């Protein structure tokens, strides 16, 4: 049943500091950025029980930026949490250093969703089907979590604790995403029900010998067995194909079957430049 709007409360901080203070002082506040996930749940009446107070972050322009630095010879991109997918698509910095992020951003819904959906929200939602997450997992990504007590940095690999769960405390916000881009060719592949505007059945991102997949486990995962094989000089696709079964754990659900997801993941793996002769 659709939830009536009158039952919700929306708090609108003017600064990040004010937002963090509200989170610290008020119980039950749910951060809200672009709203592309929460508003769908609200409209369908499927929000978690007790969810009715929201903290609107959309006006915090201090969380909108894409900056580039160098760590040694490797580029590091620092994204404000409110960076939208449209920002990623149009950024020359992203197109130069991490073009698969721009490619993934183009696969996130239509222009309306790309204009509102944010990197911080995509991460915070903690869905294993999120299109940006395999890209970020294939790179060295750290999240900056902020509270009134200060900041802490968490590797993206350690952030998710399970399906739609994470280590973020209720008084914290994701404020920045720091991405150290490894060398190597970049590839992004997504398979969904349709060619566009569809939730992924399987999504794969690769940078050099780093390979990450979504929709094949409770969280986005790295194909560590395959990566070790490639790092040791392996190049036979059939061997990598078998090793992939140790790295991913697809399930049957309303969108697909485990067998289909495994087969598609193996096929996407075979399309990587490493295995093209």
């Amino acid at each position: 049943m659709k939830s009536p709007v009158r039952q919700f409360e929306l708090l609108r901080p003017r600064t990040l500091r004010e937002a963090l203070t509200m989170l610290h002082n008020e119980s039950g506040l749910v951060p809200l950025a672009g709203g592309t996930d929460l508003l769908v749940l609200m409209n369908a009446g499927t929000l978690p029980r007790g969810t009715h107070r929201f903290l609107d972050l959309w006006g915090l322009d201090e969380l909108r930026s894409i900056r580039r630095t160098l760590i040694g010879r490797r580029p590091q991109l620092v994204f404000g949490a409110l960076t939208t997918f449209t920002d990623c698509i149009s950024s020359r910095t992203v197109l130069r250093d991490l073009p698969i992020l721009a490619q993934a951003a183009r696969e996130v819904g239509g222009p309306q969703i790309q204009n509102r959906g944010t990197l911080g929200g995509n991460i915070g939602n903690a869905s294993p089907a999120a299109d940006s997450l395999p890209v970020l997992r294939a790179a060295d990504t750290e999240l900056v979590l902020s509270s009134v007590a200060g900041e802490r940095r968490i590797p993206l690999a350690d952030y998710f604790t399970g399906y739609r769960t994470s280590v973020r405390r209720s008084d914290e916000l994701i404020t920045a995403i720091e991405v150290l881009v490894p060398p190597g060719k970049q590839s992004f592949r997504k398979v969904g029900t349709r060619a566009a505007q569809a939730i992924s059945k399987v999504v794969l991102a690769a940078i050099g010998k780093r390979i990450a997949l979504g929709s094949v486990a409770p969280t986005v995962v790295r194909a560590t067995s395959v990566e070790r094989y490639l790092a040791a000089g392996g190049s036979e696709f059939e061997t990598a194909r078998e090793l992939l079964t140790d790295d991913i754990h697809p399930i049957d659900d309303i969108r697909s079957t485990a067998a289909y997801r495994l087969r598609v993941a193996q096929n996407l793996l075979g399309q990587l430049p490493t295995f093209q002769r």
Side-chain angles (χ1 to χ4, degrees):
M1 180 183 297
K2 185 175 180 178
S3 304
V5 173
R6 64 178 178 274
Q7 79 178 41
F8 300 113
E9 181 183 359
L10 186 67
L11 279 65
R12 285 182 167 162
R14 293 166 295 180
T15 65
L16 174 59
R17 185 68 185 178
E18 187 176 347
L20 297 177
T21 300
M22 289 178 177
L23 275 182
H24 179 75
N25 294 335
E26 304 278 345
S27 62
L29 280 181
V30 177
L32 172 67
T36 58
D37 289 302
L38 283 175
L39 290 180
V40 171
L41 298 179
M42 185 185 300
N43 186 64
T46 55
L47 284 168
R49 182 180 296 274
T51 302
H52 65 278
R53 304 182 74 225
F54 299 92
L55 184 68
D56 184 4
L57 306 175
W58 191 251
L60 303 183
D61 288 340
E62 58 200 290
L63 298 183
R64 301 180 189 280
S65 64
I66 301 175
R67 296 184 290 108
R68 183 183 192 267
T69 60
L70 286 177
I71 307 296
R73 296 185 178 181
R74 290 170 62 182
Q76 183 188 54
L77 306 185
V78 181
F79 299 89
L82 292 184
T83 299
T84 67
F85 293 109
T86 296
D87 294 333
C88 294
I89 293 168
S90 60
S91 168
R92 292 183 179 180
T93 298
V94 173
L95 291 172
R96 175 179 57 183
D97 294 322
L98 197 58
I100 56 171
L101 180 58
Q103 186 177 352
R106 295 188 190 98
E107 301 281 349
V108 179
Q112 300 94 331
I113 299 298
Q114 292 163 11
N115 288 340
R116 292 285 301 188
T118 65
L119 276 186
N122 211 219
I123 296 167
N125 193 40
S127 168
D131 293 327
S132 72
L133 295 190
V135 175
L136 300 177
R137 281 288 278 117
D140 288 322
T141 299
E142 283 195 337
L143 305 179
V144 179
L145 301 180
S146 300
S147 69
V148 293
E151 294 180 347
R152 62 178 179 135
R153 282 172 166 75
I154 302 291
L156 185 62
D158 299 332
Y159 178 74
F160 302 108
T161 56
Y163 178 73
R164 292 188 180 274
T165 60
S166 73
V167 300
R168 185 183 70 83
R169 303 191 309 260
S170 60
D171 68 334
E172 290 181 313
L173 291 175
I174 299 171
T175 52
I177 301 101
E178 300 177 341
V179 184
L180 190 59
V181 183
K185 292 183 179 179
Q186 300 182 15
S187 301
F188 178 83
R189 299 286 187 274
K190 173 181 174 177
V191 173
T193 305
R194 300 181 299 276
Q197 300 189 37
I199 298 174
S200 63
K201 293 178 182 288
V202 178
V203 58
L204 178 149
I207 305 177
K209 293 181 173 61
R210 298 164 177 246
I211 302 164
L213 297 103
S215 286
V216 293
T219 64
V220 171
V221 295
R222 288 273 292 270
T224 53
S225 299
V226 177
E227 291 178 355
R228 286 194 295 267
Y229 173 68
L230 296 177
S235 61
E236 295 299 323
F237 169 61
E238 285 304 317
T239 301
R241 181 179 182 275
E242 291 303 315
L243 288 172
L244 187 63
T245 61
D246 297 329
D247 296 323
I248 64 176
H249 306 283
I251 62 171
D252 294 324
D253 63 18
I254 61 173
R255 293 188 293 110
S256 194
T257 66
Y260 176 81
R261 285 189 167 106
L262 176 59
R263 178 64 63 87
V264 169
Q266 291 171 329
N267 289 345
L268 295 182
L269 182 68
Q271 295 175 15
L272 296 180
T274 301
F275 302 112
Q276 299 301 305
R277 302 292 178 87

